Amino acid sequence: MPAELDTKPTEPTERLAEIRVRSPLSIVIPTYKEAENIPPLLDRLERLRVEHEIDLEVLLMDDDSRDGSVEAVRDCGYDWSRIVVRTADRGLSQAVVDGLGLARHPVVVVMDADLSHPPEKIPDLILALESGQEFAIGSRYVPGGSTDDDWGFFRWLNSRVATLLARPLTDAHDPMAGFFAFRRADLARAKYLNPVGYKIGLEIIVKCGLENVGEVPIRFTDRVRGQSKLTFREQLKYLKHLRRLYIYKFRYLSSFGQFAAVGLLGLVVNLAILSALVWVGVPEATAVAAAIAVSMMSNFLLNRRFTFGYARGGRVSTQFLGFVGACSIGALINYAVTLGVISARPSWPVQVAAVIGVGFGTIFNYLTNQFLVFRDATRPPAASAGGPPPPLT
Ligand SMILES: Nc1nc2c(ncn2[C@@H]2O[C@H](COP(=O)(O)OP(=O)(O)O)[C@@H](O)[C@H]2O)c(=O)[nH]1
Ligand SMILES: [Mg+2]
């Protein structure tokens, strides 16, 4: 059941003071070495709780910080908050996933502990859910939202490029945000959650198929105490995470994209080997054959590793023979289609006919490899992209 609000969503200016979050609320906060930030954060949440009479539960999911975080929570003395010390399966997103499994209330908010996310905006997030959104983000990138002024150009660019890369996955302007609210029951719509890196909100949006995403503007303030744990390595993990999400959402389109990319790379490998062999004096006929053999092998290995990575458990020799067989038939189709176009449209440049032939051959190759050579009856490709699904609750 969603939160209830005693306000009219149509009157935003009068709304703020009137919002009452009546539904019980669980707040999940990943923490790592945030002992200094925990007391001011809990104090602000206490003010919010009293003001809005919220039935509140706060779960601080801590990765064994040993910096006084446990004592800080205890000394605050709020009976609605508890810290869970985790020693296995560390990491921000996994900590949040575990927190979601422990949460008891129907509406869940996730936020950072470093005071970058203003707790005072939580009622607005709940209001967004109440007015029909499936997922509500505390957003930096909608009108009224902002970040601190001292974000350098590269930090801004980095954040914007990362956001742009997620665009095909969701319409949200700030899908990378770590401040969001949703209904816990919607988690059941995900086959599994298995994020790598920091973007647990994006993971939930995509895996739960949440289309209706609302954004509430917030001012994102840079942390004053403690240090950011967002390293370059974490940012690289984002690319891996994106790849998994693309595969999850656009299963065949993304595997066809990878197959085509591998094919292009194969062309580069072919030309490089050919040039190198001719340059060292190998006869052209031999060099062409060797270039084809090497590029076919590299294409096979790359496709087996990435495009059809879920079928890596299959027997290599069988898969290789299947791949070579499929590609050989694909080459014949390419040849036949090219000749057909040449005879049907003699005025067209021969290169156009060749491109059409390559297109048909590639599609044939992809389909036979996807559904025959690398088919996997036991595991769906989406699941293989992320490993075995951990339980949600
Ligand atoms: N449990 C857990 N929390 C983490 C981990 N890394 C970061 N956090 C918490 O996740 C939130 C966001 O991290 P932060 O370092 O501020 O990232 P940034 O805001 O992107 O610079 C903070 O509350 C951190 O304490 C981790 O490995 N485990
Ligand atoms: Mg932070």
Side-chain angles (χ1 to χ4, degrees):
M1 206 191 69
E4 287 175 31
L5 305 161
D6 63 353
T7 185
K8 296 187 279 298
T10 45
E11 293 171 12
T13 44
E14 294 169 22
R15 198 196 64 213
L16 278 175
E18 297 173 15
I19 298 173
R20 285 288 174 270
V21 182
R22 290 214 192 112
S23 169
L25 193 68
S26 294
I27 303 184
V28 174
I29 306 175
T31 61
Y32 187 64
K33 299 204 186 293
E34 300 286 5
E36 293 172 295
N37 288 316
I38 286 173
L41 175 65
L42 292 184
D43 289 344
R44 280 167 72 177
L45 286 170
E46 168 67 357
R47 274 199 292 281
L48 190 78
R49 187 189 72 81
V50 171
E51 192 182 333
H52 294 268
E53 298 165 10
I54 312 173
D55 183 357
L56 186 66
E57 162 192 63
V58 170
L59 294 159
L60 296 127
M61 304 302 294
D62 188 70
D63 275 5
D64 203 13
S65 299
R66 299 182 193 209
D67 66 338
S69 292
V70 173
E71 293 75 11
V73 175
R74 190 193 55 212
D75 293 348
C76 284
Y78 298 123
D79 61 0
W80 42 261
S81 74
R82 75 180 163 116
I83 185 163
V84 176
V85 178
R86 310 170 65 250
T87 50
D89 224 355
R90 294 174 181 218
L92 187 161
S93 289
Q94 197 51 48
V96 172
V97 171
D98 289 356
L100 297 177
L102 294 173
R104 289 180 292 117
H105 293 325
V107 174
V108 184
V109 170
V110 175
M111 67 189 296
D112 290 353
D114 57 2
L115 305 172
S116 289
H117 301 144
E120 294 73 23
K121 284 283 182 173
I122 289 175
D124 272 9
L125 295 178
I126 306 305
L127 182 72
L129 293 184
E130 180 64 5
S131 44
Q133 313 288 358
E134 292 176 302
F135 192 90
I137 297 175
S139 174
R140 296 163 288 184
Y141 302 138
V142 287
S146 60
T147 56
D148 273 350
D149 294 334
D150 56 354
W151 269 38
F153 174 71
F154 283 106
R155 186 174 172 195
W156 176 87
L157 186 73
N158 189 351
S159 179
R160 281 313 177 100
V161 168
T163 303
L164 215 65
L165 291 175
R167 200 77 185 145
L169 297 168
T170 170
D171 287 342
H173 296 84
D174 193 2
M176 333 270 297
F179 186 27
F180 52 86
F182 63 100
R183 295 177 189 85
R184 197 161 57 87
D186 282 340
L187 284 176
R189 293 161 63 174
K191 285 188 225 134
Y192 57 91
L193 292 181
N194 194 10
V196 270
Y198 266 36
K199 312 305 172 198
I200 177 67
L202 182 62
E203 171 87 1
I204 293 172
I205 292 175
V206 175
K207 298 270 176 82
C208 298
L210 305 179
E211 302 282 346
N212 209 348
V213 178
E215 290 180 84
V216 168
I218 64 157
R219 176 167 187 84
F220 181 96
T221 35
D222 282 336
R223 64 161 70 235
V224 179
R225 306 177 196 86
Q227 278 183 352
S228 168
K229 288 101 204 169
L230 181 64
T231 56
F232 181 65
R233 202 164 145 248
E234 283 297 336
Q235 300 197 36
L236 282 186
K237 279 193 198 163
Y238 174 60
L239 295 178
K240 193 171 167 190
H241 189 197
L242 270 184
R243 180 172 168 269
R244 284 185 183 183
L245 292 178
Y246 273 92
I247 291 172
Y248 191 94
K249 185 157 179 165
F250 312 108
R251 184 171 153 188
Y252 293 124
L253 202 64
S254 63
S255 72
F256 179 71
Q258 289 180 76
F259 189 79
V262 167
L264 278 180
L265 200 67
L267 180 66
V268 174
V269 169
N270 185 307
L271 294 178
I273 300 278
L274 180 64
S275 315
L277 291 180
V278 169
W279 190 69
V280 296
V282 174
E284 272 184 5
T286 316
V288 168
I292 289 175
V294 173
S295 58
M296 206 172 235
M297 181 60 101
S298 69
N299 279 7
F300 169 74
L301 293 174
L302 287 172
N303 278 318
R304 188 170 187 272
R305 171 73 181 80
F306 295 105
T307 318
F308 310 114
Y310 56 86
R312 262 178 289 167
R315 194 191 285 165
V316 188
S317 54
T318 318
Q319 289 176 342
F320 184 64
L321 287 179
F323 180 81
V324 172
C327 292
S328 305
I329 302 174
L332 286 178
I333 289 176
N334 176 352
Y335 184 65
V337 170
T338 306
L339 292 188
V341 174
I342 288 172
S343 70
R345 294 276 184 274
S347 60
W348 287 8
V350 69
Q351 287 83 356
V352 173
V355 167
I356 295 173
V358 166
F360 273 84
T362 305
I363 290 170
F364 174 85
N365 283 352
Y366 170 71
L367 293 175
T368 38
N369 278 297
Q370 170 75 68
F371 295 107
L372 285 176
V373 181
F374 293 102
R375 77 171 181 279
D376 186 353
T378 53
R379 290 168 72 195
S384 70
L392 286 179
T393 51

